[in-house]
Each structure stands twice: as C-alpha cells, then as structure tokens.
Amino acid sequence: APNVVIGDGDAIRIPHAISEQVDHEVELAVVIGKEGFRIPRDRAEEVIFGYTIVNDVTARDIQKQDKQFFRSKSFDTFAPMGPMVVTPDELDVGNLDVRLSVNGETRQQSNTKNLIFYVPALVEFISSAFPLEPGDIISTGTPGGVGVYRNPPVFLKPGDVVSAEIDGIGTLRNTVE
C-alpha cells in the first residue's frame, strides 16, 4: 500500500498485537516516470524514471494465515524506500550487487543479474494488465537469505538496525521498534 512507505532513517514498527514474525526482503525498486499501458519490453525504458531500494518488510505469520500477500506487506511502516532515486543512465541495472544486513550481520547477498524476471519483462507483464502511472513502484524480487527460511527462522526485533544496499544507489538504514 502506498501509504506505508517510509524513508531512510525512519523506524519499522512491528505490529506486536497481531504479528511476531516480521521479516526483511531487500529489493531493487523500479520507479515509473511516465504513463504506459501494454508496454513491450523493448520500450520499457521509456516509462522508467529511475531506481531505488525497497525493503519489502513482511509479517510472515499474517502471510501464512491470510494465504496471500497484501495485508502481510502493507502494515504501517512496512515499505522503507530510499535513500535516493538514481536515473537509468547512471546504472547498469542488470549487474548490481544487492545486500542486506541486520546489526552488521549479512543476511542477503546477490546481484541483479540473478533476478528471475528482468526489469523490461516485469514492465511488459505488469502493464499488460493495468496502466502504469508516474510514481508507481515495481519491486523486482528478493534474493535468498530472508529470515523465514533460515534454520532456525530469524525475525526482526525491536532495536535491530536493518541496512539494505544496492551498488550505485546507496544504503537504506532503518531501525526496528
């Protein structure tokens, strides 16, 4: 949900009354800059304004309970983004290192060349169903290392500092409350 976006330095708040399994997901975020509908992948760059980082915070217990993703990813403060938007001419979006650490411990590490669906394919697929508008954000997916799949599972807790990094974009840092 767009009204749950927070910025660099803002706090992620755990909704303790209903969830105790809050997890992180570092992702490259595509920022749409122009309207577009049914955009072929070879024209996807025409509608992209730039790229940023998103931490797709997820309440895993709610995700499992609801058997779908929207509510589990839309709690207040669950969409940290930033620290800046970088234009496409400044990045090789197909080859960027992606990392996430919690309290200095690396939890996720990969490269955008390992994305299952590349940015032009995502733009084509999503815009085939509904029009894209300026300000829309496409999250590209997360590398392995999220807390729910660790053995044992590890979830965010108050006091944690989450640092999500993508080369050429910077570091998005958020504390957990």
Side-chain angles (χ1 to χ4, degrees):
N3 59 339
V4 303
V5 173
I6 61 173
D8 181 49
D10 294 335
I12 300 165
R13 293 190 304 272
I14 296 175
H16 288 287
I18 58 174
S19 177
E20 292 295 328
Q21 295 181 356
V22 175
D23 206 352
H24 54 76
E25 293 186 18
V26 62
E27 301 187 22
L28 175 69
V30 182
V31 181
I32 301 301
K34 293 182 183 174
E35 292 180 356
F37 186 50
R38 299 186 178 135
I39 304 158
R41 68 184 67 195
D42 63 347
R43 295 188 52 222
E45 290 181 12
E46 295 175 18
V47 300
I48 297 171
F49 175 75
Y51 299 93
T52 193
I53 303 168
V54 64
N55 181 356
D56 190 13
V57 178
T58 306
R60 298 295 183 189
D61 42 2
I62 301 301
Q63 184 178 33
K64 183 177 180 183
Q65 171 187 309
D66 290 359
K67 300 193 182 359
Q68 58 85 33
F69 293 7
F70 186 78
R71 186 168 73 127
S72 67
K73 294 177 176 283
S74 295
F75 283 95
D76 187 36
T77 72
F78 271 28
M81 279 190 217
M84 67 183 75
V85 177
V86 178
T87 58
D89 62 319
E90 297 178 80
L91 294 174
D92 175 4
V93 74
N95 187 21
L96 301 171
D97 287 332
V98 177
R99 294 170 296 283
L100 183 135
S101 65
V102 177
N103 304 323
E105 175 196 349
T106 299
R107 299 256 181 106
Q108 294 182 268
Q109 187 166 353
S110 191
N111 187 289
T112 56
K113 66 185 172 192
N114 299 318
L115 287 171
I116 295 171
F117 301 104
Y118 294 103
V119 171
L122 289 170
V123 171
E124 179 181 66
F125 179 77
I126 293 167
S127 72
S128 73
F130 53 86
L132 294 175
E133 298 179 353
D136 284 345
I137 304 291
I138 298 172
S139 296
T140 58
T142 196
V146 295
V148 71
Y149 296 117
R150 291 180 169 272
N151 189 11
V154 178
F155 299 105
L156 297 176
K157 62 188 180 316
D160 284 347
V161 176
V162 183
S163 298
E165 301 175 61
I166 298 179
D167 287 350
I169 299 174
T171 303
L172 170 67
R173 282 189 185 84
N174 300 93
T175 56
V176 179
E177 294 180 348

